[in-house]
Amino acid sequence: MTKQPYALAIHGGAGTILKSTMTPEKEAAYEEALRHAVAAGETVLQAGGSALDAVTASVCALEDEPLFNAGRGAVFTTAGKQEMDAAIMDGRNRDTGTVAGIFGPKNPVKLARLVMETTPHVCMIGEHVLELGRAAGLEFPDADYFFTQARWDALQDTLAMREKGEDDDDPARRHGTVGAVACDRMGNVAAATSTGGWTGKLPGRVGDTPMPGAGNFADNATCAVSGTGHGEIFIRWTAGAEIAARMRHLGETVVEAAEHVVMKDLKDNDGSGGVIAVDARGNLALPFNSEGMYRGWVREGDQPKVAIYRD
Ligand code: ASP
């Protein structure tokens, strides 16, 4: 017997291609990739699976898609390397696992889940966690698998602009992350997020994704959140935890709390980006303060939807 209808939301980053430079072909490719990622998570929920498995499935689909900045297609650091961050969190008990600055596994989110499920730790970096992934049988493709010419060219453009003292204000070049939040039929929520970070970030920089309560958070008592945008600001304003705190202490709905944090706390402090959030009743919120956010969502019984811009 169904306890309640499931709900799922995904994002492919707020580093949206400016509407002025979007083509119908590109738009169709992004929408198709988003639909595929929603379907990957919904298939799990439809079969009575957990929110945790659903967000893992959706984020893997997004990591495998070179259009998005995570896994295959991750952006490059100033040193021309790819360093990835990923996180997963279980709303039943706030169990969480994260990895930072890693390169190797096809699906960084699976390594984050391994940290959660097989170690006593929350966040791991370095060679040892990669060894754990290999030992557990995670896929480690050749390094070329992760390379995309578009991301490499974006790094060259960014470095050339910096050389001239110009700011790189193209969000499509700078931003990007993927994420998923879900509420299953048991009323359990979960969140997962994965990213290459920022084009031209310094080697060793860690973003908001692997910092629980910043870019990724889940607690059945409030909500599950996955963020995308200016990571440093998400960290300083503890974006995910703040949304949950507003629900818990002010009695706000997930929509009100997410809206406040994204449109006020983050926006007023140069924190461009957005979040996807779901509460334990399956209510969804997808606010963003940027030109767009690649996103998709579904509630049991409804048709899945995808969108990029505001309209
Ligand atoms: N939040 C990510 C980071 O700062 C980037 C993004 O979502 O655009 O690493």
Side-chain angles (χ1 to χ4, degrees):
M1 172 89 167
T2 301
K3 191 177 166 202
Q4 65 166 64
Y6 62 70
L8 169 95
I10 61 150
H11 70 77
T16 311
I17 291 183
L18 299 173
K19 203 165 184 174
S20 51
T21 59
M22 180 62 101
T23 64
E25 294 74 31
K26 265 193 218 166
E27 199 161 343
Y30 278 104
E31 288 182 353
E32 186 47 39
L34 292 169
R35 265 190 287 274
H36 175 65
V38 173
E42 187 178 16
T43 302
V44 173
L45 295 169
Q46 243 161 12
S50 68
L52 206 57
D53 286 343
V55 295
T56 305
S58 283
V59 168
C60 284
L62 292 159
E63 287 176 336
D64 293 347
E65 171 53 66
L67 286 173
F68 301 117
N69 171 19
R72 185 177 200 187
V75 299
F76 291 90
T77 67
T78 50
K81 297 274 190 323
Q82 290 160 302
E83 297 181 358
M84 303 175 204
D85 299 339
I88 190 157
M89 191 156 176
D90 184 344
R92 286 176 301 184
N93 52 8
R94 293 201 186 199
D95 216 358
T96 185
T98 78
V99 287
I102 57 139
F103 178 82
K106 178 167 181 257
N107 295 111
V109 72
K110 288 190 181 169
L111 194 58
R113 189 160 172 176
L114 205 64
V115 170
M116 178 174 86
E117 290 177 341
T118 69
T119 80
H121 306 307
V122 163
C123 181
M124 292 184 75
I125 63 168
E127 193 48 45
H128 185 75
V129 74
L130 298 178
E131 277 167 27
L132 288 182
R134 284 191 201 97
L138 295 193
E139 221 177 316
F140 278 66
D142 291 343
D144 305 358
Y145 166 85
F146 296 97
F147 180 90
T148 54
Q149 193 62 45
R151 299 297 189 193
W152 184 255
D153 293 346
L155 174 66
Q156 306 317 313
D157 291 348
T158 299
L159 295 178
M161 286 173 89
R162 281 188 194 162
E163 188 95 331
K164 286 190 257 162
E166 292 169 9
D167 270 347
D168 184 356
D169 58 359
D170 179 350
R173 204 162 30 221
R174 290 190 343 190
H175 278 291
T177 284
V178 308
V181 294
C183 174
D184 59 31
R185 286 181 179 147
M186 300 305 292
N188 294 318
V189 300
T193 309
S194 181
T195 187
W198 280 56
T199 299
K201 67 182 180 182
L202 291 175
R205 177 264 188 188
V206 174
D208 55 315
T209 298
M211 299 194 188
N216 197 76
F217 182 77
D219 185 353
N220 279 359
T222 50
C223 62
V225 182
S226 170
T228 172
H230 191 158
E232 281 70 9
I233 309 299
F234 278 64
I235 295 168
R236 289 167 56 206
W237 265 260
T238 56
E242 186 69 14
I243 293 169
R246 295 187 71 88
M247 292 175 70
R248 199 165 59 239
H249 302 302
L250 297 177
E252 289 187 351
T253 65
V254 66
V255 173
E256 289 165 346
E259 190 82 11
H260 182 96
V261 168
V262 170
M263 305 311 284
K264 183 112 192 77
D265 297 348
L266 295 175
K267 187 170 180 216
D268 289 356
N269 291 289
D270 195 27
S272 75
V275 304
I276 52 173
V278 67
D279 69 13
R281 309 300 281 270
N283 295 303
L284 293 167
L286 297 92
F288 55 95
N289 61 37
S290 40
E291 180 162 336
M293 179 169 79
Y294 298 107
R295 60 202 187 279
W297 66 98
V298 67
R299 294 197 71 195
E300 186 161 8
D302 293 347
Q303 283 302 312
K305 302 247 175 26
V306 298
I308 301 175
Y309 301 104
R310 236 160 247 294
D311 34 289

